[in-house]
Amino acid sequence: MRATRLTAAAVLVLSFAPTSALAADLARGAKLYARYCAGCHGPDGQGGAHTFMPHVENLTRKGYIELLPDEYLATVIREGGPAVGKSSYMPAWGGTISDEDIANIVAHIRRLGVR
Ligand code: HEC
């Protein structure tokens, strides 16, 4: 009886695993990034047109992006630049993009930084 219950619990945990950050949907994150973010941040995260004001940070800079926690990246994407003391030209996406897709985009940004 006890073993059966433990097995059921294990199955439950495993069935939730695919939604974890580890299993982020990178293809989906890349697609959403291209649609919503690339216009300002550039297709590869290295900044947009140099005429764009204000200056947009390089999302791939070594020794920088990898030090920012996922939670910080999710917050600035969800709530916009001012939520982390950055420019209000960074829009809040919380009403447009679900938390799950924000996690997918964060995973995509992390991959951009690996160069
Ligand atoms: C209208 C232009 C614009 C769009 C579209 C945009 N951003 Fe931004 N983003 C900015 C600006 C401007 C900043 C602030 C840069 C600064 O202050 O250094 C910023 C900041 C950020 C930061 C924080 C960088 C840091 O150095 O702390 C992240 C992460 C980010 N954007 C991700 C995204 C993602 C993901 C999307 C798409 C969902 C997106 N941005 C769409 C303009 C934009």
Side-chain angles (χ1 to χ4, degrees), residues 31-84:
K31 212 168 94 189
L32 292 168
Y33 178 90
R35 185 188 309 162
Y36 294 115
C37 323
C40 291
H41 289 280
D44 51 9
Q46 303 196 339
H50 289 291
T51 51
F52 187 82
M53 285 295 289
H55 173 73
V56 175
E57 285 287 347
N58 184 338
L59 292 177
T60 68
R61 183 151 38 99
K62 274 266 169 242
Y64 174 70
I65 197 76
E66 68 263 40
L67 303 179
L68 299 173
D70 283 356
E71 192 44 42
Y72 168 91
L73 295 175
T75 299
V76 61
I77 295 167
R78 194 188 311 118
E79 294 167 30
V84 296

mmCIF file of all heavy atoms in Angstrom, residues 31-84:
data_model
loop_
_atom_site.group_PDB
_atom_site.id
_atom_site.type_symbol
_atom_site.label_atom_id
_atom_site.label_comp_id
_atom_site.label_asym_id
_atom_site.label_seq_id
_atom_site.Cartn_x
_atom_site.Cartn_y
_atom_site.Cartn_z
ATOM 1 N N LYS A 31 11.606 32.019 -31.099
ATOM 2 C CA LYS A 31 10.577 32.584 -31.964
ATOM 3 C C LYS A 31 9.968 33.837 -31.325
ATOM 4 O O LYS A 31 9.793 34.869 -31.980
ATOM 5 C CB LYS A 31 9.487 31.530 -32.196
ATOM 6 C CG LYS A 31 8.835 31.626 -33.554
ATOM 7 C CD LYS A 31 7.993 30.404 -33.857
ATOM 8 C CE LYS A 31 6.543 30.660 -33.460
ATOM 9 N NZ LYS A 31 5.700 29.453 -33.538
ATOM 10 N N LEU A 32 9.662 33.743 -30.037
ATOM 11 C CA LEU A 32 9.066 34.884 -29.341
ATOM 12 C C LEU A 32 10.058 36.037 -29.257
ATOM 13 O O LEU A 32 9.689 37.202 -29.405
ATOM 14 C CB LEU A 32 8.608 34.467 -27.932
ATOM 15 C CG LEU A 32 7.439 33.488 -27.907
ATOM 16 C CD1 LEU A 32 7.261 32.905 -26.512
ATOM 17 C CD2 LEU A 32 6.151 34.177 -28.362
ATOM 18 N N TYR A 33 11.331 35.706 -29.019
ATOM 19 C CA TYR A 33 12.362 36.738 -28.964
ATOM 20 C C TYR A 33 12.419 37.481 -30.300
ATOM 21 O O TYR A 33 12.457 38.715 -30.339
ATOM 22 C CB TYR A 33 13.725 36.121 -28.632
ATOM 23 C CG TYR A 33 14.825 37.154 -28.612
ATOM 24 C CD1 TYR A 33 15.139 37.829 -27.426
ATOM 25 C CD2 TYR A 33 15.520 37.480 -29.769
ATOM 26 C CE1 TYR A 33 16.122 38.814 -27.417
ATOM 27 C CE2 TYR A 33 16.495 38.458 -29.769
ATOM 28 C CZ TYR A 33 16.793 39.124 -28.595
ATOM 29 O OH TYR A 33 17.750 40.109 -28.594
ATOM 30 N N ALA A 34 12.412 36.722 -31.407
ATOM 31 C CA ALA A 34 12.480 37.338 -32.734
ATOM 32 C C ALA A 34 11.286 38.264 -32.951
ATOM 33 O O ALA A 34 11.416 39.337 -33.536
ATOM 34 C CB ALA A 34 12.527 36.257 -33.810
ATOM 35 N N ARG A 35 10.125 37.845 -32.438
ATOM 36 C CA ARG A 35 8.924 38.639 -32.681
ATOM 37 C C ARG A 35 8.876 39.886 -31.804
ATOM 38 O O ARG A 35 8.568 40.967 -32.265
ATOM 39 C CB ARG A 35 7.686 37.779 -32.424
ATOM 40 C CG ARG A 35 6.407 38.533 -32.783
ATOM 41 C CD ARG A 35 5.153 37.799 -32.355
ATOM 42 N NE ARG A 35 5.133 36.416 -32.814
ATOM 43 C CZ ARG A 35 4.322 35.479 -32.279
ATOM 44 N NH1 ARG A 35 3.514 35.782 -31.305
ATOM 45 N NH2 ARG A 35 4.359 34.242 -32.736
ATOM 46 N N TYR A 36 9.189 39.738 -30.519
ATOM 47 C CA TYR A 36 8.946 40.833 -29.578
ATOM 48 C C TYR A 36 10.186 41.631 -29.190
ATOM 49 O O TYR A 36 10.064 42.756 -28.723
ATOM 50 C CB TYR A 36 8.310 40.304 -28.283
ATOM 51 C CG TYR A 36 6.921 39.746 -28.447
ATOM 52 C CD1 TYR A 36 6.675 38.397 -28.229
ATOM 53 C CD2 TYR A 36 5.853 40.569 -28.811
ATOM 54 C CE1 TYR A 36 5.399 37.875 -28.359
ATOM 55 C CE2 TYR A 36 4.578 40.055 -28.942
ATOM 56 C CZ TYR A 36 4.348 38.705 -28.718
ATOM 57 O OH TYR A 36 3.090 38.192 -28.850
ATOM 58 N N CYS A 37 11.345 41.055 -29.285
ATOM 59 C CA CYS A 37 12.514 41.657 -28.648
ATOM 60 C C CYS A 37 13.591 42.086 -29.637
ATOM 61 O O CYS A 37 14.324 43.036 -29.372
ATOM 62 C CB CYS A 37 13.148 40.668 -27.656
ATOM 63 S SG CYS A 37 11.930 39.665 -26.760
ATOM 64 N N ALA A 38 13.691 41.381 -30.756
ATOM 65 C CA ALA A 38 14.826 41.595 -31.661
ATOM 66 C C ALA A 38 14.856 43.011 -32.225
ATOM 67 O O ALA A 38 15.928 43.530 -32.526
ATOM 68 C CB ALA A 38 14.799 40.562 -32.788
ATOM 69 N N GLY A 39 13.682 43.646 -32.368
ATOM 70 C CA GLY A 39 13.627 44.984 -32.926
ATOM 71 C C GLY A 39 14.503 45.959 -32.155
ATOM 72 O O GLY A 39 15.139 46.834 -32.737
ATOM 73 N N CYS A 40 14.543 45.822 -30.842
ATOM 74 C CA CYS A 40 15.362 46.712 -30.013
ATOM 75 C C CYS A 40 16.686 46.071 -29.608
ATOM 76 O O CYS A 40 17.712 46.735 -29.558
ATOM 77 C CB CYS A 40 14.604 47.099 -28.744
ATOM 78 S SG CYS A 40 13.192 48.179 -29.069
ATOM 79 N N HIS A 41 16.652 44.780 -29.289
ATOM 80 C CA HIS A 41 17.861 44.129 -28.757
ATOM 81 C C HIS A 41 18.723 43.483 -29.832
ATOM 82 O O HIS A 41 19.797 42.982 -29.531
ATOM 83 C CB HIS A 41 17.478 43.099 -27.691
ATOM 84 C CG HIS A 41 16.990 43.729 -26.426
ATOM 85 N ND1 HIS A 41 17.842 44.246 -25.476
ATOM 86 C CD2 HIS A 41 15.743 43.970 -25.969
ATOM 87 C CE1 HIS A 41 17.124 44.758 -24.481
ATOM 88 N NE2 HIS A 41 15.854 44.607 -24.756
ATOM 89 N N GLY A 42 18.227 43.481 -31.064
ATOM 90 C CA GLY A 42 18.976 42.865 -32.156
ATOM 91 C C GLY A 42 18.698 41.380 -32.229
ATOM 92 O O GLY A 42 18.404 40.763 -31.210
ATOM 93 N N PRO A 43 18.791 40.786 -33.429
ATOM 94 C CA PRO A 43 18.453 39.378 -33.604
ATOM 95 C C PRO A 43 19.318 38.446 -32.753
ATOM 96 O O PRO A 43 18.881 37.385 -32.357
ATOM 97 C CB PRO A 43 18.693 39.128 -35.100
ATOM 98 C CG PRO A 43 19.447 40.295 -35.608
ATOM 99 C CD PRO A 43 19.195 41.440 -34.682
ATOM 100 N N ASP A 44 20.536 38.859 -32.455
ATOM 101 C CA ASP A 44 21.418 38.003 -31.655
ATOM 102 C C ASP A 44 21.677 38.587 -30.268
ATOM 103 O O ASP A 44 22.603 38.186 -29.586
ATOM 104 C CB ASP A 44 22.731 37.755 -32.402
ATOM 105 C CG ASP A 44 23.360 39.049 -32.886
ATOM 106 O OD1 ASP A 44 22.862 40.130 -32.483
ATOM 107 O OD2 ASP A 44 24.329 38.999 -33.650
ATOM 108 N N GLY A 45 20.885 39.576 -29.860
ATOM 109 C CA GLY A 45 20.987 40.118 -28.508
ATOM 110 C C GLY A 45 22.098 41.133 -28.316
ATOM 111 O O GLY A 45 22.353 41.587 -27.202
ATOM 112 N N GLN A 46 22.759 41.522 -29.409
ATOM 113 C CA GLN A 46 23.913 42.405 -29.249
ATOM 114 C C GLN A 46 23.570 43.877 -29.418
ATOM 115 O O GLN A 46 24.447 44.702 -29.670
ATOM 116 C CB GLN A 46 25.014 41.991 -30.217
ATOM 117 C CG GLN A 46 25.378 40.529 -29.969
ATOM 118 C CD GLN A 46 26.688 40.130 -30.579
ATOM 119 O OE1 GLN A 46 27.180 40.777 -31.494
ATOM 120 N NE2 GLN A 46 27.272 39.071 -30.067
ATOM 121 N N GLY A 47 22.314 44.202 -29.285
ATOM 122 C CA GLY A 47 21.886 45.595 -29.395
ATOM 123 C C GLY A 47 21.302 45.865 -30.762
ATOM 124 O O GLY A 47 21.609 45.172 -31.726
ATOM 125 N N GLY A 48 20.441 46.864 -30.826
ATOM 126 C CA GLY A 48 19.761 47.166 -32.085
ATOM 127 C C GLY A 48 20.535 48.170 -32.898
ATOM 128 O O GLY A 48 21.756 48.288 -32.772
ATOM 129 N N ALA A 49 19.809 48.911 -33.717
ATOM 130 C CA ALA A 49 20.420 49.965 -34.527
ATOM 131 C C ALA A 49 21.123 50.948 -33.597
ATOM 132 O O ALA A 49 20.624 51.257 -32.523
ATOM 133 C CB ALA A 49 19.346 50.674 -35.336
ATOM 134 N N HIS A 50 22.273 51.425 -34.004
ATOM 135 C CA HIS A 50 23.018 52.317 -33.125
ATOM 136 C C HIS A 50 22.390 53.691 -33.009
ATOM 137 O O HIS A 50 22.783 54.487 -32.170
ATOM 138 C CB HIS A 50 24.482 52.389 -33.567
ATOM 139 C CG HIS A 50 25.202 51.116 -33.289
ATOM 140 N ND1 HIS A 50 25.489 50.684 -32.013
ATOM 141 C CD2 HIS A 50 25.638 50.138 -34.111
ATOM 142 C CE1 HIS A 50 26.084 49.506 -32.073
ATOM 143 N NE2 HIS A 50 26.185 49.153 -33.349
ATOM 144 N N THR A 51 21.397 53.940 -33.857
ATOM 145 C CA THR A 51 20.676 55.203 -33.759
ATOM 146 C C THR A 51 19.610 55.136 -32.670
ATOM 147 O O THR A 51 19.035 56.134 -32.307
ATOM 148 C CB THR A 51 19.983 55.525 -35.103
ATOM 149 O OG1 THR A 51 19.232 54.380 -35.500
ATOM 150 C CG2 THR A 51 20.998 55.853 -36.184
ATOM 151 N N PHE A 52 19.343 53.920 -32.158
ATOM 152 C CA PHE A 52 18.267 53.768 -31.189
ATOM 153 C C PHE A 52 18.624 54.449 -29.873
ATOM 154 O O PHE A 52 19.729 54.285 -29.356
ATOM 155 C CB PHE A 52 17.966 52.293 -30.948
ATOM 156 C CG PHE A 52 16.762 52.067 -30.080
ATOM 157 C CD1 PHE A 52 15.486 52.111 -30.630
ATOM 158 C CD2 PHE A 52 16.904 51.829 -28.727
ATOM 159 C CE1 PHE A 52 14.376 51.910 -29.829
ATOM 160 C CE2 PHE A 52 15.789 51.636 -27.917
ATOM 161 C CZ PHE A 52 14.516 51.674 -28.475
ATOM 162 N N MET A 53 17.686 55.235 -29.363
ATOM 163 C CA MET A 53 17.885 55.891 -28.071
ATOM 164 C C MET A 53 16.827 55.414 -27.092
ATOM 165 O O MET A 53 15.662 55.339 -27.465
ATOM 166 C CB MET A 53 17.784 57.413 -28.230
ATOM 167 C CG MET A 53 18.998 58.030 -28.877
ATOM 168 S SD MET A 53 20.492 57.874 -27.897
ATOM 169 C CE MET A 53 20.124 59.019 -26.572
ATOM 170 N N PRO A 54 17.165 55.154 -25.827
ATOM 171 C CA PRO A 54 18.528 55.163 -25.320
ATOM 172 C C PRO A 54 19.286 53.915 -25.747
ATOM 173 O O PRO A 54 18.723 53.004 -26.323
ATOM 174 C CB PRO A 54 18.306 55.161 -23.816
ATOM 175 C CG PRO A 54 17.061 54.362 -23.650
ATOM 176 C CD PRO A 54 16.203 54.665 -24.854
ATOM 177 N N HIS A 55 20.536 53.884 -25.379
ATOM 178 C CA HIS A 55 21.387 52.741 -25.672
ATOM 179 C C HIS A 55 20.786 51.461 -25.071
ATOM 180 O O HIS A 55 20.381 51.453 -23.927
ATOM 181 C CB HIS A 55 22.767 53.007 -25.059
ATOM 182 C CG HIS A 55 23.678 51.841 -25.158
ATOM 183 N ND1 HIS A 55 24.257 51.447 -26.350
ATOM 184 C CD2 HIS A 55 24.102 50.962 -24.221
ATOM 185 C CE1 HIS A 55 25.007 50.384 -26.121
ATOM 186 N NE2 HIS A 55 24.925 50.066 -24.850
ATOM 187 N N VAL A 56 20.739 50.404 -25.853
ATOM 188 C CA VAL A 56 20.229 49.131 -25.357
ATOM 189 C C VAL A 56 21.411 48.225 -25.019
ATOM 190 O O VAL A 56 22.335 48.074 -25.820
ATOM 191 C CB VAL A 56 19.317 48.462 -26.411
ATOM 192 C CG1 VAL A 56 18.880 47.083 -25.946
ATOM 193 C CG2 VAL A 56 18.095 49.329 -26.673
ATOM 194 N N GLU A 57 21.349 47.667 -23.818
ATOM 195 C CA GLU A 57 22.445 46.813 -23.354
ATOM 196 C C GLU A 57 22.641 45.587 -24.242
ATOM 197 O O GLU A 57 21.697 45.072 -24.818
ATOM 198 C CB GLU A 57 22.167 46.323 -21.931
ATOM 199 C CG GLU A 57 22.363 47.367 -20.854
ATOM 200 C CD GLU A 57 23.831 47.670 -20.609
ATOM 201 O OE1 GLU A 57 24.699 46.909 -21.100
ATOM 202 O OE2 GLU A 57 24.105 48.670 -19.932
ATOM 203 N N ASN A 58 23.868 45.148 -24.314
ATOM 204 C CA ASN A 58 24.206 43.914 -24.999
ATOM 205 C C ASN A 58 23.806 42.746 -24.093
ATOM 206 O O ASN A 58 24.374 42.562 -23.015
ATOM 207 C CB ASN A 58 25.715 43.915 -25.245
ATOM 208 C CG ASN A 58 26.160 42.719 -26.037
ATOM 209 O OD1 ASN A 58 25.490 41.699 -26.070
ATOM 210 N ND2 ASN A 58 27.297 42.851 -26.680
ATOM 211 N N LEU A 59 22.827 41.977 -24.528
ATOM 212 C CA LEU A 59 22.331 40.872 -23.702
ATOM 213 C C LEU A 59 23.272 39.677 -23.706
ATOM 214 O O LEU A 59 22.987 38.670 -23.074
ATOM 215 C CB LEU A 59 20.941 40.432 -24.185
ATOM 216 C CG LEU A 59 19.807 41.445 -23.975
ATOM 217 C CD1 LEU A 59 18.513 40.909 -24.572
ATOM 218 C CD2 LEU A 59 19.612 41.767 -22.506
ATOM 219 N N THR A 60 24.365 39.776 -24.456
ATOM 220 C CA THR A 60 25.271 38.627 -24.541
ATOM 221 C C THR A 60 26.621 38.901 -23.881
ATOM 222 O O THR A 60 27.509 38.059 -23.921
ATOM 223 C CB THR A 60 25.531 38.231 -26.010
ATOM 224 O OG1 THR A 60 26.291 39.271 -26.642
ATOM 225 C CG2 THR A 60 24.233 38.039 -26.769
ATOM 226 N N ARG A 61 26.782 40.102 -23.312
ATOM 227 C CA ARG A 61 28.100 40.477 -22.796
ATOM 228 C C ARG A 61 28.597 39.484 -21.739
ATOM 229 O O ARG A 61 27.920 39.197 -20.757
ATOM 230 C CB ARG A 61 28.048 41.891 -22.192
ATOM 231 C CG ARG A 61 29.370 42.387 -21.702
ATOM 232 C CD ARG A 61 29.485 43.903 -21.786
ATOM 233 N NE ARG A 61 28.260 44.612 -21.452
ATOM 234 C CZ ARG A 61 28.015 45.161 -20.257
ATOM 235 N NH1 ARG A 61 28.873 45.066 -19.277
ATOM 236 N NH2 ARG A 61 26.890 45.808 -20.053
ATOM 237 N N LYS A 62 29.803 39.004 -21.948
ATOM 238 C CA LYS A 62 30.427 38.060 -21.008
ATOM 239 C C LYS A 62 30.719 38.770 -19.691
ATOM 240 O O LYS A 62 31.049 39.941 -19.666
ATOM 241 C CB LYS A 62 31.738 37.534 -21.590
ATOM 242 C CG LYS A 62 31.554 36.335 -22.486
ATOM 243 C CD LYS A 62 31.751 35.044 -21.689
ATOM 244 C CE LYS A 62 31.311 33.827 -22.480
ATOM 245 N NZ LYS A 62 30.209 33.114 -21.859
ATOM 246 N N GLY A 63 30.608 38.014 -18.597
ATOM 247 C CA GLY A 63 30.886 38.597 -17.294
ATOM 248 C C GLY A 63 29.788 39.541 -16.850
ATOM 249 O O GLY A 63 29.956 40.314 -15.917
ATOM 250 N N TYR A 64 28.662 39.502 -17.526
ATOM 251 C CA TYR A 64 27.550 40.371 -17.150
ATOM 252 C C TYR A 64 26.249 39.598 -17.103
ATOM 253 O O TYR A 64 25.689 39.368 -16.046
ATOM 254 C CB TYR A 64 27.463 41.548 -18.119
ATOM 255 C CG TYR A 64 26.245 42.416 -17.890
ATOM 256 C CD1 TYR A 64 26.146 43.211 -16.754
ATOM 257 C CD2 TYR A 64 25.194 42.435 -18.802
ATOM 258 C CE1 TYR A 64 25.026 43.992 -16.529
ATOM 259 C CE2 TYR A 64 24.071 43.228 -18.590
ATOM 260 C CZ TYR A 64 23.994 43.998 -17.456
ATOM 261 O OH TYR A 64 22.884 44.771 -17.230
ATOM 262 N N ILE A 65 25.808 39.133 -18.287
ATOM 263 C CA ILE A 65 24.496 38.500 -18.374
ATOM 264 C C ILE A 65 24.429 37.231 -17.522
ATOM 265 O O ILE A 65 23.423 36.949 -16.892
ATOM 266 C CB ILE A 65 24.096 38.248 -19.844
ATOM 267 C CG1 ILE A 65 22.599 37.977 -19.954
ATOM 268 C CG2 ILE A 65 24.905 37.116 -20.489
ATOM 269 C CD1 ILE A 65 21.746 39.214 -19.827
ATOM 270 N N GLU A 66 25.530 36.471 -17.487
ATOM 271 C CA GLU A 66 25.472 35.218 -16.727
ATOM 272 C C GLU A 66 25.463 35.451 -15.220
ATOM 273 O O GLU A 66 25.194 34.557 -14.454
ATOM 274 C CB GLU A 66 26.607 34.265 -17.126
ATOM 275 C CG GLU A 66 27.989 34.726 -16.733
ATOM 276 C CD GLU A 66 28.706 35.420 -17.890
ATOM 277 O OE1 GLU A 66 28.048 36.180 -18.632
ATOM 278 O OE2 GLU A 66 29.919 35.210 -18.040
ATOM 279 N N LEU A 67 25.740 36.706 -14.805
ATOM 280 C CA LEU A 67 25.692 37.014 -13.376
ATOM 281 C C LEU A 67 24.300 37.468 -12.944
ATOM 282 O O LEU A 67 24.023 37.587 -11.757
ATOM 283 C CB LEU A 67 26.707 38.116 -13.035
ATOM 284 C CG LEU A 67 28.153 37.795 -13.405
ATOM 285 C CD1 LEU A 67 29.058 38.965 -13.045
ATOM 286 C CD2 LEU A 67 28.614 36.526 -12.708
ATOM 287 N N LEU A 68 23.442 37.752 -13.903
ATOM 288 C CA LEU A 68 22.092 38.190 -13.575
ATOM 289 C C LEU A 68 21.213 36.971 -13.341
ATOM 290 O O LEU A 68 21.133 36.100 -14.202
ATOM 291 C CB LEU A 68 21.510 39.036 -14.726
ATOM 292 C CG LEU A 68 22.268 40.314 -15.067
ATOM 293 C CD1 LEU A 68 21.684 40.947 -16.332
ATOM 294 C CD2 LEU A 68 22.211 41.294 -13.906
ATOM 295 N N PRO A 69 20.555 36.912 -12.169
ATOM 296 C CA PRO A 69 19.713 35.743 -11.891
ATOM 297 C C PRO A 69 18.497 35.674 -12.820
ATOM 298 O O PRO A 69 18.025 36.707 -13.306
ATOM 299 C CB PRO A 69 19.268 35.946 -10.441
ATOM 300 C CG PRO A 69 19.714 37.285 -10.022
ATOM 301 C CD PRO A 69 20.586 37.872 -11.079
ATOM 302 N N ASP A 70 17.993 34.447 -13.055
ATOM 303 C CA ASP A 70 16.790 34.259 -13.873
ATOM 304 C C ASP A 70 15.657 35.157 -13.397
ATOM 305 O O ASP A 70 14.917 35.710 -14.196
ATOM 306 C CB ASP A 70 16.311 32.797 -13.783
ATOM 307 C CG ASP A 70 17.160 31.863 -14.637
ATOM 308 O OD1 ASP A 70 18.058 32.356 -15.345
ATOM 309 O OD2 ASP A 70 16.919 30.647 -14.568
ATOM 310 N N GLU A 71 15.546 35.277 -12.067
ATOM 311 C CA GLU A 71 14.441 36.033 -11.496
ATOM 312 C C GLU A 71 14.521 37.511 -11.904
ATOM 313 O O GLU A 71 13.517 38.149 -12.178
ATOM 314 C CB GLU A 71 14.435 35.874 -9.967
ATOM 315 C CG GLU A 71 13.179 36.373 -9.284
ATOM 316 C CD GLU A 71 11.881 35.952 -10.001
ATOM 317 O OE1 GLU A 71 11.780 34.800 -10.432
ATOM 318 O OE2 GLU A 71 10.996 36.809 -10.132
ATOM 319 N N TYR A 72 15.746 38.055 -11.958
ATOM 320 C CA TYR A 72 15.918 39.440 -12.402
ATOM 321 C C TYR A 72 15.482 39.592 -13.853
ATOM 322 O O TYR A 72 14.747 40.519 -14.205
ATOM 323 C CB TYR A 72 17.383 39.852 -12.241
ATOM 324 C CG TYR A 72 17.724 41.165 -12.926
ATOM 325 C CD1 TYR A 72 17.626 42.378 -12.241
ATOM 326 C CD2 TYR A 72 18.122 41.189 -14.258
ATOM 327 C CE1 TYR A 72 17.910 43.580 -12.883
ATOM 328 C CE2 TYR A 72 18.406 42.384 -14.903
ATOM 329 C CZ TYR A 72 18.308 43.571 -14.216
ATOM 330 O OH TYR A 72 18.581 44.755 -14.850
ATOM 331 N N LEU A 73 15.932 38.679 -14.707
ATOM 332 C CA LEU A 73 15.582 38.743 -16.131
ATOM 333 C C LEU A 73 14.076 38.607 -16.312
ATOM 334 O O LEU A 73 13.461 39.356 -17.075
ATOM 335 C CB LEU A 73 16.329 37.663 -16.912
ATOM 336 C CG LEU A 73 17.852 37.822 -16.954
ATOM 337 C CD1 LEU A 73 18.498 36.626 -17.645
ATOM 338 C CD2 LEU A 73 18.247 39.110 -17.666
ATOM 339 N N ALA A 74 13.457 37.669 -15.572
ATOM 340 C CA ALA A 74 12.009 37.485 -15.687
ATOM 341 C C ALA A 74 11.288 38.755 -15.226
ATOM 342 O O ALA A 74 10.312 39.177 -15.853
ATOM 343 C CB ALA A 74 11.562 36.282 -14.859
ATOM 344 N N THR A 75 11.783 39.396 -14.168
ATOM 345 C CA THR A 75 11.134 40.602 -13.644
ATOM 346 C C THR A 75 11.212 41.751 -14.639
ATOM 347 O O THR A 75 10.210 42.414 -14.902
ATOM 348 C CB THR A 75 11.784 41.029 -12.307
ATOM 349 O OG1 THR A 75 11.614 39.979 -11.370
ATOM 350 C CG2 THR A 75 11.143 42.303 -11.765
ATOM 351 N N VAL A 76 12.391 41.981 -15.216
ATOM 352 C CA VAL A 76 12.509 43.107 -16.151
ATOM 353 C C VAL A 76 11.669 42.854 -17.399
ATOM 354 O O VAL A 76 11.061 43.775 -17.945
ATOM 355 C CB VAL A 76 13.982 43.443 -16.485
ATOM 356 C CG1 VAL A 76 14.696 42.296 -17.143
ATOM 357 C CG2 VAL A 76 14.076 44.661 -17.397
ATOM 358 N N ILE A 77 11.558 41.606 -17.824
ATOM 359 C CA ILE A 77 10.742 41.304 -19.002
ATOM 360 C C ILE A 77 9.253 41.448 -18.649
ATOM 361 O O ILE A 77 8.492 42.063 -19.380
ATOM 362 C CB ILE A 77 11.045 39.887 -19.528
ATOM 363 C CG1 ILE A 77 12.496 39.817 -20.027
ATOM 364 C CG2 ILE A 77 10.087 39.513 -20.652
ATOM 365 C CD1 ILE A 77 13.009 38.406 -20.286
ATOM 366 N N ARG A 78 8.856 40.909 -17.489
ATOM 367 C CA ARG A 78 7.445 40.932 -17.104
ATOM 368 C C ARG A 78 6.976 42.348 -16.769
ATOM 369 O O ARG A 78 5.900 42.774 -17.164
ATOM 370 C CB ARG A 78 7.225 40.008 -15.903
ATOM 371 C CG ARG A 78 5.765 39.687 -15.637
ATOM 372 C CD ARG A 78 5.577 38.919 -14.325
ATOM 373 N NE ARG A 78 6.461 37.783 -14.191
ATOM 374 C CZ ARG A 78 7.392 37.658 -13.229
ATOM 375 N NH1 ARG A 78 7.545 38.587 -12.314
ATOM 376 N NH2 ARG A 78 8.158 36.598 -13.187
ATOM 377 N N GLU A 79 7.815 43.103 -16.020
ATOM 378 C CA GLU A 79 7.345 44.377 -15.464
ATOM 379 C C GLU A 79 7.967 45.604 -16.126
ATOM 380 O O GLU A 79 7.601 46.733 -15.799
ATOM 381 C CB GLU A 79 7.598 44.396 -13.952
ATOM 382 C CG GLU A 79 6.752 43.351 -13.236
ATOM 383 C CD GLU A 79 7.197 43.126 -11.802
ATOM 384 O OE1 GLU A 79 7.709 44.079 -11.198
ATOM 385 O OE2 GLU A 79 7.012 42.008 -11.297
ATOM 386 N N GLY A 80 8.935 45.401 -17.001
ATOM 387 C CA GLY A 80 9.519 46.530 -17.724
ATOM 388 C C GLY A 80 10.742 47.104 -17.043
ATOM 389 O O GLY A 80 11.043 46.781 -15.885
ATOM 390 N N GLY A 81 11.475 47.952 -17.770
ATOM 391 C CA GLY A 81 12.729 48.520 -17.295
ATOM 392 C C GLY A 81 12.678 49.169 -15.920
ATOM 393 O O GLY A 81 13.526 48.891 -15.067
ATOM 394 N N PRO A 82 11.676 50.045 -15.658
ATOM 395 C CA PRO A 82 11.651 50.758 -14.384
ATOM 396 C C PRO A 82 11.610 49.826 -13.159
ATOM 397 O O PRO A 82 12.074 50.199 -12.083
ATOM 398 C CB PRO A 82 10.366 51.595 -14.464
ATOM 399 C CG PRO A 82 10.160 51.812 -15.925
ATOM 400 C CD PRO A 82 10.647 50.539 -16.586
ATOM 401 N N ALA A 83 11.089 48.597 -13.316
ATOM 402 C CA ALA A 83 11.002 47.655 -12.190
ATOM 403 C C ALA A 83 12.389 47.313 -11.651
ATOM 404 O O ALA A 83 12.526 46.913 -10.493
ATOM 405 C CB ALA A 83 10.279 46.376 -12.615
ATOM 406 N N VAL A 84 13.431 47.470 -12.463
ATOM 407 C CA VAL A 84 14.791 47.175 -12.008
ATOM 408 C C VAL A 84 15.677 48.411 -12.135
ATOM 409 O O VAL A 84 16.897 48.315 -12.184
ATOM 410 C CB VAL A 84 15.421 45.990 -12.787
ATOM 411 C CG1 VAL A 84 14.659 44.702 -12.532
ATOM 412 C CG2 VAL A 84 15.488 46.291 -14.279
#
